[in-house]
Amino acid sequence: MDHSGSTPADGSHLGAPLVELAGVNKHFGDLHVLQDIDLTVRKGEVLVVIGPSGSGKSTLCRAVNRLETIDDGTIRIDGTPLPAEGRQLANLRADVGMVFQSFNLFAHKSVLDNVTLGPRKVRKLSRAKAEEEALQLLERVGVKNQADKLPAQLSGGQQQRVAIARSLAMHPKVMLFDEPTSALDPEMINEVLDVMVQLAHEGMTMIVVTHEMGFARKAADRVVFMADGRIVEQATPEEFFTNPQSDRAKDFLSKILTH
């Protein structure tokens, strides 16, 4: 499934900068987990972040919606600097959808209630309108027939697709995915990746931290390779996978692509 026909490789289909990180640093004690990160993601871009464990990928992803604070630097979403806390942060967070390794669904609420909660509480939609939109989204991710069930009654792959629908229900400007398939059984991984590929085709701006190189090749506009808290290199998937520039990337790819 090649999507180069729909999106020019030169990036001309991409819009204005949507997520901008400038000079971002983050320490956990003595560990410098993000080192002078400069990164711009444009509207409609699918950015895939890969790298060895402990390279700072998840921290980077979580910093974008302030789940991790940063020590210095700036992060802007659609031109607005991320506020430290308070109502402004909540409003900005509503523009940034997030899907985690674990599904983080409310166990005691139905699938439908999980998806409608945010729009009703934050976006102030009526129950009827929120449910109408939620059912459309659940159909989009292929779990509409599970709407009345509790999360525990669903497979992991179904729960993760509900989590994606829940994020989409807030009409986010950008979606963050932090290793969304790493907790899933192998047979469920593709059903989640297929939904993500579909979102990419529909023009959703996405930052995806993943070990799934097939997804990176298929859906990414750009691959960012991180190691030791730094962005070591970035390129189109074609360039990165066929001709990595750094020894770190060559080493990383040789370990994962030979298995």
Side-chain angles (χ1 to χ4, degrees):
M1 176 176 163
D2 178 33
H3 84 316
S4 57
S6 59
T7 51
D10 62 4
S12 59
H13 64 292
L14 301 176
L18 183 61
V19 179
E20 300 167 90
L21 289 80
V24 169
N25 283 278
K26 167 76 178 175
H27 293 78
F28 290 127
D30 293 336
L31 198 60
H32 197 169
V33 285
L34 295 177
Q35 302 188 36
D36 299 318
I37 300 291
D38 294 313
L39 186 64
T40 298
V41 183
R42 291 160 63 188
K43 283 192 175 105
E45 184 170 16
V46 178
L47 183 87
V48 172
V49 184
I50 63 174
S53 294
S55 57
K57 310 182 298 290
S58 288
T59 307
L60 174 76
C61 194
R62 294 166 69 89
V64 171
N65 74 343
R66 241 338 189 281
L67 281 176
E68 292 286 359
T69 56
I70 57 174
D71 298 334
D72 55 40
T74 55
I75 300 177
R76 293 174 183 273
I77 308 288
D78 210 3
T80 305
L82 261 188
E85 55 200 26
R87 184 176 294 279
Q88 279 178 300
L89 179 60
N91 290 343
L92 210 56
R93 267 207 190 131
D95 289 336
V96 182
M98 179 112 193
V99 178
F100 301 88
Q101 280 180 3
S102 54
F103 321 123
N104 289 7
L105 298 171
F106 293 109
H108 58 287
K109 291 187 183 297
S110 72
V111 163
L112 186 62
D113 285 344
N114 265 282
V115 179
T116 57
L117 192 65
R120 289 176 57 209
K121 290 268 192 277
V122 181
R123 300 268 191 223
K124 306 300 184 206
L125 286 193
S126 69
R127 177 184 284 273
K129 182 68 179 155
E131 289 189 352
E132 181 191 342
E133 285 194 6
L135 288 169
Q136 288 171 351
L137 286 169
L138 289 170
E139 185 165 26
R140 238 172 107 182
V141 300
V143 287
K144 185 181 178 184
N145 58 342
Q146 312 287 343
D148 296 328
K149 292 187 177 173
L150 292 172
Q153 297 172 280
L154 275 58
S155 71
Q158 289 172 325
Q159 289 188 58
Q160 193 60 297
R161 286 184 282 155
V162 171
I164 292 172
R166 181 182 59 178
S167 278
L168 290 172
M170 297 297 286
H171 300 286
K173 293 177 178 175
V174 57
M175 289 274 284
L176 310 176
F177 292 86
D178 186 11
E179 301 196 14
T181 58
S182 63
L184 297 177
D185 293 333
E187 72 273 14
M188 294 174 191
I189 289 174
N190 281 337
E191 67 189 52
V192 173
L193 292 177
D194 286 347
V195 169
M196 292 168 62
V197 169
Q198 179 191 332
L199 283 179
H201 286 309
E202 291 166 6
M204 173 59 77
T205 310
M206 297 162 63
I207 300 174
V208 183
V209 174
T210 186
H211 295 290
E212 297 296 330
M213 297 303 138
F215 174 82
R217 284 176 179 250
K218 188 187 294 186
D221 292 297
R222 181 163 44 125
V223 172
V224 166
F225 175 73
M226 289 185 73
D228 304 322
R230 295 181 184 279
I231 293 175
V232 178
E233 64 179 281
Q234 44 188 316
T236 64
E238 175 68 21
E239 289 166 12
F240 180 77
F241 288 109
T242 56
N243 188 24
Q245 299 299 304
S246 65
D247 289 341
R248 287 302 302 267
K250 287 173 189 164
D251 181 53
F252 176 78
L253 289 171
S254 72
K255 287 189 173 116
I256 54 165
L257 297 180
T258 50
H259 299 306

